[in-house]
Amino acid sequence: MFIKKLIRLVLLFAIIICCSNCDKKQSEKSVSETINTQNRPNIILFVADDHGTDALGAYGNPIIKTPNLDQLAKEGTKFNNAYCTSASCAASRSVILSGLFGHATGSYGHVHDYHHFSTYDTIKSLPVLLDKVGYETVRIGKYHVAPEKVYQFNTVLKANPRNTVEMAEKCADVLKADKPFFLYFCTDDPHRGHPFEPNQWDTPNNFGNKKEGYLGVETVTYNPKDVLVPDFLPDTKQTREEIAEYYQSVSRIDQGFGKLMQMLHETGKAKNTIVIYISDNGMAFPGAKTTVHEPGIKLPCIIKDPTKTEKDITSNAMISWVDLTPTILDMAKIDYDVNAFHGKSFYDIIGKKAVKGWDEIYASHTFHEITMYYPMRVVRNNNYKLIWNIAHRLEYPFASDLWASSTWQSVYRNNVEYFGNKKVKDYLFRPEFELYDLEKDPNETNNLANEETFKEVLETMKSKLKSFQSKTKDPWMIMWSHDASLQGSGVNL
């Protein structure tokens, strides 16, 4: 009897000790979480879909109405030389959320439907890294990356991605959260709308616009006669009509952005929230989206950081979307291995007009849709830019929505010689190398690659590309000299 009582006492004592340790561990966890989250800013990354610098008041367009985004520029820093790495939605977004070029992660093109490109599951993405230190990570709107276990967010909100006002309203609880939050706010605007191919070829695409409009959104329309036609596009009736629709879609973005900022101010958290506005690639017109020419990859980037005292700053520093993940980790005060990313943080140059060392960017495009194989690699160093069209023997491919556009069809159906400032044949059949001096030739019309006086520049730029490809483990490096050193065995062991 005594032994049984002794055993019971020992078991009871063990249970008490165990519970005490559990409470201690739980207490330690709570303290740890407090340390992780204290003094960290909230971060909003607002990503538009196919929006170029051509359609923003802050970037010099006097016609389009974007008062809320223009106000963001007045309160923060506007970057004049901000670049995506690939002018394709999914490929670009994988870079934004990983800090790695798509050719190194398997993110070669679109993830949806039969395209089925997907990021390697060993990649640690931005939302996962933020979650580890206590951030509430939330996404709403366009996702377009895969697999979800790599790009995992704590919370997924649902709203019409064409109605940014509705999207903003769905974020109310996020803005009030006790924990610091990372809000990944992605619109479908101003991407072309369905159907891509109209019944009448010369009908302009709607760019998501509807005659009845959207609840809570003021419909802002534009006269095709008033829009600005970029030099790379033909100045036709069809082009102007489509740009007018594009502008309308951009104005809808602006209203939703304004609503989100209003809600943020009402929570009292604006002073501790960093706001970033970017796009995934350039306007959805031939000559921009899916190309690595300037209209396709040179994009808006406006950042408001309340901790920076300088406002209304315009920076000419060259930054890239591959720099965004390390920059946001710096914003969040997170220690990380700088060698884990291909990009580098530009956090320290936000709010500064003149900076040194930010004079080079790289781009890497391989696919858009799976039927659009046309790998291109790019280096821009100061004013010189080199494009290597690896598949130059192929006809340049069209995205399905761009081919069906009345802008392109107006040229194609009428056998017009020029598409904007380039001949149609030169648009479709490209040389292996394109070398431009962007200071003298911002429209990229005068290819210097075959000129003897620029031979040394060409070779220098080629060397930079090769070094870039080697450092980032680009499989397409094999196309220089059949060097298969980066290819691996091709066998699963």
Side-chain angles (χ1 to χ4, degrees):
M1 192 72 176
F2 174 76
I3 294 174
K4 287 183 179 180
K5 286 183 178 181
L6 182 62
I7 291 172
R8 287 173 184 168
L9 286 171
V10 170
L11 288 173
L12 180 62
F13 183 72
I15 291 170
I16 293 171
I17 294 295
C18 181
C19 291
S20 175
N21 286 338
C22 287
D23 289 341
K24 182 179 180 182
K25 287 180 180 179
Q26 185 62 41
S27 176
E28 288 174 350
K29 181 180 178 184
S30 298
V31 171
S32 176
E33 286 180 349
T34 302
I35 293 172
N36 282 337
T37 59
Q38 67 180 357
N39 299 321
R40 298 191 192 274
N42 307 305
I43 301 168
I44 297 175
L45 178 57
F46 194 113
V47 185
D49 195 357
D50 301 355
H51 186 197
T53 57
D54 55 277
L56 262 172
Y59 280 88
N61 187 321
I63 304 300
I64 196 163
K65 297 178 177 64
T66 53
N68 296 298
L69 290 169
D70 298 346
Q71 182 61 33
L72 183 71
K74 291 178 182 177
E75 297 175 352
T77 300
K78 175 186 70 178
F79 288 89
N80 274 343
N81 291 301
Y83 287 84
C84 68
T85 65
S86 178
S88 180
C89 302
S92 181
R93 290 163 191 267
S94 74
V95 176
I96 290 169
L97 292 177
S98 72
L100 299 167
F101 285 94
H103 61 242
T105 65
S107 309
Y108 304 127
H110 281 349
V111 303
H112 64 292
D113 297 334
Y114 54 85
H115 311 294
H116 204 56
F117 291 109
S118 184
T119 300
Y120 301 140
D121 58 13
T122 55
I123 301 301
K124 300 297 182 185
S125 72
L126 176 62
V128 171
L129 294 172
L130 290 171
D131 172 59
K132 285 185 176 180
V133 297
Y135 268 83
E136 174 63 19
T137 60
V138 183
R139 68 175 174 89
I140 186 170
K142 187 164 184 172
Y143 189 42
H144 227 43
V145 287
E148 189 165 1
K149 65 181 179 181
V150 168
Y151 301 102
Q152 191 167 36
F153 286 78
N154 300 141
T155 303
V156 179
L157 301 176
K158 301 291 185 180
N160 185 342
R162 291 286 187 181
N163 185 341
T164 47
V165 171
E166 178 187 322
M167 291 174 70
E169 290 171 344
K170 291 286 186 178
C171 296
D173 289 342
V174 178
L175 302 182
K176 298 173 185 175
D178 294 330
K179 294 169 65 178
F181 63 80
F182 171 63
L183 175 59
Y184 184 56
F185 191 108
C186 301
T187 71
D188 272 6
D189 291 327
H191 192 288
R192 286 176 176 267
H194 291 280
F196 292 149
E197 189 169 354
N199 292 328
Q200 292 290 124
W201 72 265
D202 59 349
T203 302
N205 186 269
N206 60 37
F207 285 82
N209 304 320
K210 300 190 299 184
K211 289 182 179 179
E212 66 273 24
Y214 291 88
L215 184 65
V217 180
E218 177 190 353
T219 300
V220 180
T221 60
Y222 295 87
N223 189 328
K225 295 180 180 178
D226 297 331
V227 303
L228 305 182
V229 180
D231 290 339
F232 69 91
L233 290 176
D235 193 348
T236 63
K237 174 179 178 291
Q238 290 77 23
T239 300
R240 286 184 169 273
E241 287 174 345
E242 292 210 300
I243 291 177
E245 295 289 334
Y246 165 60
Y247 280 13
Q248 181 177 332
S249 188
V250 170
S251 284
R252 188 163 54 251
I253 292 175
D254 185 77
Q255 289 185 56
F257 179 81
K259 178 66 176 179
L260 187 66
M261 292 302 99
Q262 175 193 336
M263 294 168 60
L264 179 65
H265 280 280
E266 289 172 354
T267 65
K269 294 186 177 181
K271 292 182 179 179
N272 190 39
T273 303
I274 297 171
V275 181
I276 306 168
Y277 181 86
I278 62 170
S279 170
D280 57 359
N281 52 250
M283 65 190 302
F285 285 76
K289 182 178 179 177
T290 76
T291 80
V292 290
H293 289 125
E294 295 293 279
I297 62 174
K298 188 176 180 181
L299 302 175
C301 179
I302 308 172
I303 301 177
K304 177 186 176 182
D305 182 345
T307 68
K308 307 287 185 178
T309 57
E310 297 296 323
K311 298 181 179 181
D312 198 11
I313 299 297
T314 296
S315 173
N316 289 321
M318 292 184 202
I319 61 171
S320 167
W321 286 183
V322 78
D323 300 324
L324 282 168
T325 283
T327 299
I328 291 172
L329 292 176
D330 263 357
M331 291 173 171
K333 304 175 184 179
I334 298 173
D335 292 330
Y336 61 91
D337 179 3
V338 295
N339 296 315
F341 306 105
H342 294 149
K344 60 180 180 178
S345 171
F346 59 84
Y347 181 60
D348 288 341
I349 68 170
I350 297 172
K352 295 180 181 179
K353 291 181 180 179
V355 297
K356 294 181 179 180
W358 291 87
D359 52 10
E360 189 168 276
I361 60 93
Y362 293 86
S364 172
H365 177 98
T366 307
F367 285 91
H368 180 64
E369 296 156 359
I370 197 170
T371 49
M372 292 181 62
Y373 176 74
Y374 203 87
M376 299 171 283
R377 300 295 183 262
V378 178
V379 55
R380 179 182 172 185
N381 177 265
N382 290 308
N383 293 322
Y384 287 112
K385 177 180 176 181
L386 177 66
I387 300 172
W388 180 27
N389 295 309
I390 299 172
H392 61 98
R393 294 178 180 86
L394 298 176
E395 181 176 329
Y396 195 80
F398 274 84
S400 54
D401 58 337
L402 302 188
W403 172 263
S405 69
S406 60
T407 295
W408 172 252
Q409 290 295 317
S410 66
V411 171
Y412 173 70
R413 288 171 178 266
N414 295 300
N415 294 315
V416 177
E417 183 180 7
Y418 277 84
F419 183 79
N421 53 20
K422 289 185 173 71
K423 288 185 177 182
V424 171
K425 68 178 183 64
D426 293 333
Y427 182 85
L428 296 176
F429 298 98
R430 306 187 176 195
E432 182 176 11
F433 295 103
E434 300 175 59
L435 177 65
Y436 302 107
D437 182 343
L438 295 180
E439 183 177 31
K440 297 177 181 177
D441 180 26
N443 293 323
E444 299 166 290
T445 58
N446 182 24
N447 184 6
L448 306 173
N450 295 321
E451 295 192 16
E452 187 65 27
T453 52
F454 289 91
K455 186 175 181 179
E456 186 177 342
V457 174
L458 177 63
E459 292 306 313
T460 298
M461 299 293 272
K462 283 182 181 180
S463 295
K464 287 181 177 293
L465 265 189
K466 292 175 183 178
S467 178
F468 156 71
Q469 289 183 282
S470 178
K471 289 177 181 177
T472 60
K473 295 181 170 55
D474 183 358
W476 275 263
M477 191 173 180
I478 195 174
M479 302 305 292
W480 286 106
S481 58
H482 300 282
D483 177 4
S485 59
L486 295 178
Q487 297 295 316
S489 67
V491 178
N492 289 325
L493 300 177

